[in-house]
């Protein structure tokens, strides 16, 4: 296991663009490579690293975790926060580690980054794994708000709060933030019945060095929605194209992840196929912690 920034050559080459990526690798570089792409914008890979990265490597994978430019531990005041910028950073990782192909494991917003990258550079991707990943943004926002309107159909104060968010510009960072804040306040991201395993994983993470570096750039979402034209997308047409190009797509989601409707999940399952999709019981958005054993077992079965 080794932790470092890009090699001296790449630091020198990319400083002109303000690039300074945090990257950490786990396992044997001769094994199949999995690149973990975290959520956000304003996210980081600390939870995945602090709970799951080494265990995934122990199953016989070479795991690369990194924080996108301008997010988490990859501080960059000049970051543009666009998909294209994320693609170039991924390409620099491929170059640094001499990768011809890699498995992309995209969580949450990272699933959009992974999907769009695979659509553009399918020759670089041996498999695409969507783990609680976003794929139809507006349907997700609509589902969150409609679910809450039904829940609070007689609570005028809550309905007013929901209405304020619903009336925001749907292509704005404020709208996205409002939807996810309402989801968080109402437990959409929490597993209903925490297990002894999940409790220990979360507790251990909160006392780890990874938790201490759980850095989040609060300005990242606003910058992303200002700079990126594709800011409210449905990636299912891209997923169909990727599948047609011969790249296998896998989906692993939690049954209790409140941000996805059953219609959304079924539409994704139609794309991946039944054998390449799993719906985990008693599991929400952070499925690699909520149901880690099942998560790792399924990845090993699919990817080894």
């Amino acid at each position: 296991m080794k932790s470092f920034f890009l090699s001296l050559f790449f630091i020198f080459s990319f400083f002109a663009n303000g690039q300074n990526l945090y990257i950490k690798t786990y396992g044997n570089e001769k094994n199949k490579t999995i690149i973990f792409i975290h959520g956000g914008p304003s996210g980081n890979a600390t939870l995945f690293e602090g709970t799951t990265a080494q265990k995934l490597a122990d199953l016989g994978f070479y795991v690369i975790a990194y924080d996108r430019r301008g997010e988490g531990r990859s501080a960059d005041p000049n970051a543009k926060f666009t998909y294209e910028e994320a693609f170039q950073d991924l390409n620099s990782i491929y170059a640094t580690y001499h990768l011809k192909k890699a498995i992309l494991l995209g969580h949450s917003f990272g699933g959009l980054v992974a999907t769009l990258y695979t659509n553009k550079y399918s020759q670089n991707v041996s498999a695409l794994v969507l783990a609680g990943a976003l794929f139809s943004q507006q349907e997700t926002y609509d589902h969150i708000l409609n679910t809450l309107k039904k829940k609070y159909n007689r609570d005028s104060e809550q309905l007013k709060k929901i209405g304020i968010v619903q009336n925001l510009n749907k292509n704005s960072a404020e709208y996205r933030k409002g939807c996810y804040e309402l989801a968080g306040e109402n437990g959409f991201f929490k597993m209903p019945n925490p297990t002894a395993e999940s409790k220990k994983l979360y507790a251990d993470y909160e006392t780890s060095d990874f938790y201490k570096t759980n850095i989040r750039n609060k300005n990242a979402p606003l910058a992303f929605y200002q700079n990126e034209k594709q800011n409210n997308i449905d990636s299912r047409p891209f997923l169909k194209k990727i599948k047609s190009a011969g790249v296998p797509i896998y989906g692993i989601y939690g049954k209790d992840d409140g941000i996805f409707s059953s219609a959304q999940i079924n539409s994704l399952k139609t794309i991946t196929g039944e054998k390449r999709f799993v719906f985990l019981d008693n599991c929400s958005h952070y499925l690699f912690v909520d149901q880690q054993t099942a998560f790792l077992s399924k990845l090993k079965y699919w990817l080894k």
Side-chain angles (χ1 to χ4, degrees):
M1 184 171 71
K2 48 189 176 181
S3 176
F4 52 89
F5 291 108
L6 294 181
S7 66
L8 181 60
F9 172 77
F10 282 95
I11 288 175
F12 178 79
S13 296
F14 288 103
F15 261 143
N17 295 322
Q19 181 175 356
N20 191 22
L21 288 185
Y22 165 90
I23 307 173
K24 191 166 185 174
T25 67
Y26 299 81
N28 189 329
E29 61 186 12
K30 294 181 180 179
N31 291 335
K32 284 185 179 180
T33 300
I34 295 178
I35 302 175
F36 177 75
I37 305 178
H38 64 77
S42 82
N44 59 58
T46 61
L47 181 60
F48 176 77
E49 283 190 81
T51 60
T52 310
Q54 185 59 55
K55 293 176 184 177
L56 184 56
D58 291 343
L59 295 178
F61 296 101
Y62 183 53
V63 179
I64 299 176
Y66 77 106
D67 289 354
R68 280 189 302 276
R69 191 195 312 194
E71 300 181 54
R73 295 156 290 182
S74 295
D76 185 349
N78 299 312
K80 295 182 177 66
F81 301 102
T82 62
Y83 286 122
E84 185 58 35
E85 182 177 70
F87 298 165
Q88 295 313 312
D89 287 343
L90 269 169
N91 282 336
S92 75
I93 291 172
Y94 273 81
T96 300
Y97 294 96
H98 308 291
L99 304 174
K100 291 184 178 179
K101 283 184 177 287
I103 298 160
L104 298 187
L105 171 56
H107 175 248
S108 197
F109 174 78
L112 290 174
V113 175
T115 296
L116 295 178
Y117 179 86
T118 304
N119 182 61
K120 188 169 184 177
Y121 299 100
S122 61
Q123 71 277 11
N124 294 348
V125 182
S126 54
L128 172 62
V129 183
L130 303 175
L134 297 179
F135 58 92
S136 54
Q137 288 179 283
Q138 190 57 55
E139 284 186 48
T140 286
Y141 305 142
D142 289 342
H143 175 66
I144 291 169
L145 296 175
N146 290 336
T147 299
L148 292 176
K149 283 193 291 185
K150 290 177 183 178
K151 178 180 179 179
Y152 295 113
N153 67 325
R154 296 184 180 181
D155 188 327
S156 59
E157 285 300 312
Q158 286 293 335
L159 288 174
K160 181 180 178 181
K161 189 176 179 181
I162 295 164
I164 290 171
V165 174
Q166 195 162 27
N167 289 325
L168 293 171
N169 179 349
K170 290 182 170 57
N171 290 320
S172 68
E174 291 80 10
Y175 176 72
R176 174 191 179 277
K177 180 182 178 183
C179 288
Y180 286 132
E181 283 183 347
L182 287 170
E185 291 167 7
N186 286 275
F188 281 32
F189 300 113
K190 291 184 178 179
M191 63 189 298
N193 300 298
T195 62
E197 179 189 31
S198 68
K199 287 179 182 178
K200 186 176 188 308
L201 285 168
Y202 280 115
D204 288 349
Y205 167 69
E206 289 173 4
T207 59
S208 72
D209 289 337
F210 288 110
Y211 184 76
K212 294 174 185 176
T213 56
N214 181 17
I215 302 162
R216 295 181 179 272
N217 181 353
K218 294 180 180 179
N219 296 322
L222 181 61
F224 174 81
Y225 278 80
Q226 288 175 339
N227 299 334
E228 177 55 62
K229 293 179 180 179
Q230 298 181 90
N231 53 26
N232 193 354
I233 69 172
D234 184 342
S235 67
R236 286 171 294 193
F238 299 118
L239 290 169
K240 291 175 183 177
K241 183 180 174 184
I242 289 165
K243 185 178 180 181
S244 297
V247 179
I249 303 168
Y250 301 92
I252 183 164
Y253 285 73
K255 287 184 179 179
D256 302 289
D257 191 337
I259 68 171
F260 300 108
S261 68
S262 57
Q264 280 178 282
I265 293 298
N266 288 333
S267 71
L268 182 60
K269 192 187 298 184
T270 298
I271 295 172
T272 64
E274 289 280 345
K275 293 182 179 180
R276 291 178 175 172
F277 188 92
V278 65
F279 217 17
L280 299 179
D281 290 317
N282 188 27
C283 183
S284 188
H285 196 59
Y286 297 96
L287 58 172
F288 51 86
V289 184
D290 291 357
Q291 293 293 343
Q292 187 183 84
T293 298
F295 175 82
L296 292 173
S297 175
K298 204 65 187 180
L299 290 192
K300 181 181 179 182
Y301 174 74
W302 281 335
L303 304 173
K304 288 295 286 184

